[in-house]
Amino acid sequence: MNDTRNTILNRLKAASSDQTMPSARDISNSVNWSSNYTVQLFRTQLQSAHAEIYDATDHSWLMTLQHICRVKHLKNVLLSPATPWGKAIIENSANLPSLKYYDNPVENWKQSLFDGIEAAFTSTYGGIANTGTLILWPDSQEPRLMSLVPPVHIAVIEKTKIYNSFAEAIKAQHWSETELPANMLLISGPSKSADIEQTLTYGVHGPKELVVIMV
Amino acid sequence: MTTKYRKQFSNALAQHEVRNNTENVINKLRKHRLAAFPDQAEWVNLRRHSTAIRVNAISKLPQLLEQLEINLQRNGIQVHWADTTEQANQTVLNIMRFHDARFVIKGKSMVSEEMGLNDFLNTHGIECLESDLGELIIQLAAEKPSHMIVPALHKNRKQIARLFHRQFPSIPYTEDISALAQAARRFLRHHFATAPVGLTGVNFMIAETGTLCLVENEGNGRMCSTAPPVHIAVSGIEKVVECLDDVPPLLGILTRSATGQPITTYVNMISSPRKPNEKDGPTAVHLILLDNGRSRIYSDPELRDTLNCIRCGACMNHCPIYKHIGGHAYQTVIPGPIGTILEPQKNGLDSYGELTQASTLCGACQEVCPVSIPIPKIINRLRWEHIRKNSYSTSGAGSGRRKTEAIIWKIWVWNCIHPGAYNRITSVATSMRRLTDRILAKISPWTTARAVPRLPDTTLHERLKALEIDNE
Amino acid sequence: MIKTESRMDFTRASAGPKPDTVYLFGTCLIDLLYPQAGVSAVHLFEREGVNVIFPQTQTCCGQPAWNSGYRDEALAVARAQLKLFPRPIPIIVPSASCAGMIKVHYPALFKDEPDEASVFDVVNRVYELTEFLTDILKVNLTDLGEPTTVAVHSSCTARREMNVADRIDSLLDQLQNVTRIEPDNAEECCGFGGTFAIKQPEISTAMVLEKAKAIENTGAQQLIGQDCGCLMNIGGALKKQDSQISHVHIAEFLWDRTHKAKP
């Protein structure tokens, strides 16, 4: 195996030229948008990708969540009991459906995760306006499958963490100097496909609905 | 001479349903792309930026691969190198056997198509299941993808409805696209939950951080790389980029060029297996780096541009020839203009050289290429290699040389460098035009669809001489 | 269609002053099949006070061999043309495809050849006909013809290699009795491609039939183009279908409509 590696690399090195390339890679595409415009763009882009958006405040978001669960007739919601959001939900769970916690390795309850959970609530690491994107940074508290397996994904995002572009988010959040998570995610709508006649249909393998609460 | 490919192309042209389906989808993809780049200046900038990123990465390819390997291994991802598709297949098989796995669920991967992985694993008693909707359709129909991005674009909903009904008799017959997608969802969900191994392709590999990027819309790529305990990623060695900052421009131009989307629903950036205390994600992640002729392409500075490709499919969407003959007629893993230059280089001009003739050099492919690959220039170069007497770069070079054709060109040269003879011949041809018209009428390939061009009574040389527009 | 900045691009010789003499490179296709296009180009130039030199020993630019991979053969033929244009005056080519061959491909063809340097001298003086009429001569045309409608087919080389596809439109738009109609999929290739039409006749046929249909659907009276290869291809298909649409090169069309016939 090591031989193969060296054979390939040696072939490439033998061919590698000394030509120095014109480095135009640092072209800056930064824009100067007002924060209002950024938030508005984020909203319209996500909406055009079929996501539902709710506006809320630091105080009202729990009521918004209750409203969402009610209108969607959700029987349960998966969440993390460790995040500040999760703690607040648990403290105010009166008008919410049954709360489920991802407190076990997936191997112990995979089938019930796939078959029994109707929705998951997650926080986000930030947002990207020009593509209408949620940044998720899954960890031991909010594992990867939360935003993938349940048919409804409810995410909360702070407006102050919405960046103009992906490039700006990487810079502002210092990704290059941070240990990246096992699986960093950009999510820009519910799951979809256009594989048949290039006609869009939603909810193929991931969530059928993406609901975003902006605070 | 009716060659293998000409027969194949004729057959493809006779399949009117496939041609209709292909054209319908392609027209939509063209429209979507056009709408995605409303600002010409922005497109020019983004394209220049993206081209520079790829050219930079390719120029440092061996160094970046070494850096990538170090960072992936530091992150806990196991790296395997494969010189050939046989080696890559064997590596997958070894991993499967190590985990005692007999089933693999797959996300969309053109490299796995290149490897012929499904057939290989099947012969070793391992079942493969495609989970991308388009790939699933292809697998159920026992066909090959006809497009890199939209693998089943040659099939319309009625054909897919019949296929699903045959394969899943328990599901009622439906031509509703949403219902068909839901049927696939129900069928695959159980397999995502139980598969011991998931396999995907890769869109970009980031050397700086040791990260694998996967873009997709359905969520099946995430499923395959997250739900099973083992994830195998397969990639060509050329997919590396230098740093994280290189990803946003490439990602943006990739999705907009491919389908006109500002971004795909999911961008999945995998940097390690499950970390301690984490509750999901595969405990083992493997990356197989496949060469399969790429380092040979790399050795030629002109042909090297082929490796800049980010597999967006825009060249095929805008190719008039692809539009008419469809993807299957190419009989390659990757069809369309990029396939026309890539496949003969990978697999030899002796088998695939004639593909280089499947181009009018109209330049539509290069015009939309997000990383400015000069496809017509490389086609021209490969045509040269195909008929060249001595050649070095591409395997099967010289295999297309035919004695009669070479003699015709020799005569043509003699005629063109002897103006006296040239002028006499053209003059005779026009003055005896009744006869020449009759001869021309016999060139059947031209005249099946076109009237014979009628010769004038005198040439331009003669007319201008008569007007005394002459040498000074 | 998005026009792109491609690697095929090159800096066009800056629009200089109006020359008093130019060379005409007639192209082999015009020589043999469409001589009146060449004659019309001469008339158009002379009317603007520009003398024309037509070296009688010119033949072909070498493109057919170059595009077929026969580079040595293309080189031999191209080299024979190079010597024909010694004076430092523009060389006008009434075909974007042949102009592109010289302008874009000669530098590659002559790379590392002893006469490489002399190529650039020629390359920098090459203009496609419609480019020269608009950018250098800045012609003002007065239409003397009856009202008519035309469909335009700009060649792929005019569009993507020489980047001059808009010049034919602006020339036609000067003619007040001419209505120009854009066919569907105007930017798509007609399927000629030189030897492509011979080597892959089945695909070429499918392409030209689609193109001919798009032209027919415009209901125009004439098909106009700046490249005789495309015109011969599409025009031949139209004729085979007994279409009423005739085809004519832009030079011939412009001259016919703008000069007073001698009594």
Side-chain angles (χ1 to χ4, degrees), chain B residues 6 30 40 47-48 305 323-324 362 367 383 405 410 416 422 447 450-451 461 463 471-472, chain C residues 3-5 7 31 36 55-56 58-59 67 73 87 160 188 199 202 204 210 233 236 240:
Chain B
R6 262 185 71 187
R30 287 184 188 183
Q40 172 70 12
R47 184 190 206 210
R48 190 182 296 149
D305 283 341
K323 182 177 94 175
H324 283 289
C362 77
E367 185 175 41
R383 286 183 181 177
E405 196 189 351
K410 285 264 175 298
C416 288
Y422 170 91
T447 49
R450 308 167 189 86
H461 278 80
R463 291 183 191 197
N471 303 324
E472 325 202 16
Chain C
K3 290 219 180 77
T4 61
E5 183 210 56
R7 288 195 195 176
D31 189 27
Q36 212 47 36
Q56 275 284 334
Q58 61 177 277
T59 56
N67 281 350
E73 289 75 2
R87 288 177 55 185
R160 306 191 185 92
E188 200 152 291
K199 293 197 170 181
E202 293 81 11
S204 178
E210 188 190 10
N233 185 41
K240 181 98 177 181

Side-chain angles (χ1 to χ4, degrees), chain B residues 159-214:
Chain B
Q159 294 167 307
I160 295 165
R162 286 196 293 271
L163 179 68
F164 271 43
H165 190 60
R166 204 163 56 233
Q167 297 288 340
F168 311 116
S170 60
I171 301 170
Y173 179 87
T174 175
E175 290 176 9
D176 180 81
I177 287 174
S178 174
L180 289 167
Q182 290 310 309
R185 178 186 174 102
R186 280 193 300 277
F187 167 66
L188 284 165
R189 203 159 167 85
H190 159 74
H191 293 291
F192 287 128
T194 55
V197 175
L199 186 138
T200 68
V202 175
N203 293 91
F204 312 114
M205 309 184 285
I206 310 170
E208 174 193 41
T209 54
T211 300
L212 310 176
C213 302
L214 265 92

Side-chain angles (χ1 to χ4, degrees), chain C residues 106-158:
Chain C
Y106 271 20
L109 181 58
F110 283 85
K111 194 168 183 298
D112 299 328
E113 293 291 322
D115 41 359
E116 188 180 357
S118 62
V119 163
F120 289 97
D121 170 52
V122 168
V123 160
N124 290 330
R125 291 187 278 126
V126 165
Y127 292 85
E128 184 273 334
L129 173 97
T130 60
E131 177 192 22
F132 185 69
L133 289 175
T134 50
D135 297 9
I136 306 297
L137 296 188
K138 301 187 170 65
V139 292
N140 279 311
L141 301 170
T142 308
D143 195 0
L144 305 174
E146 295 296 310
T148 186
T149 54
V150 300
V152 175
H153 175 75
S154 264
S155 64
C156 299
T157 42

Side-chain angles (χ1 to χ4, degrees), chain B residues 9 23 46 53 88 108 140 142 157 181 288 321 326 345 415:
Chain B
F9 294 154
E23 188 173 345
L46 183 58
I53 288 168
K108 200 173 127 41
L140 293 175
R157 71 177 80 190
I288 299 171
I321 288 169
Q345 293 186 71
N415 184 37

Side-chain angles (χ1 to χ4, degrees), chain B residues 340-387:
Chain B
T340 297
I341 60 170
L342 181 64
E343 300 286 357
Q345 293 186 71
K346 260 196 212 154
N347 303 310
L349 284 161
D350 35 5
S351 329
Y352 293 89
E354 201 199 335
L355 266 189
T356 62
Q357 304 297 343
S359 169
T360 61
L361 305 175
C362 77
C365 48
Q366 176 172 347
E367 185 175 41
V368 296
C369 177
V371 292
S372 322
I373 300 172
I375 295 176
K377 184 176 135 192
I378 295 177
I379 289 175
N380 183 300
R381 162 70 190 269
L382 292 174
R383 286 183 181 177
W384 179 44
E385 299 231 347
H386 194 206
I387 56 92

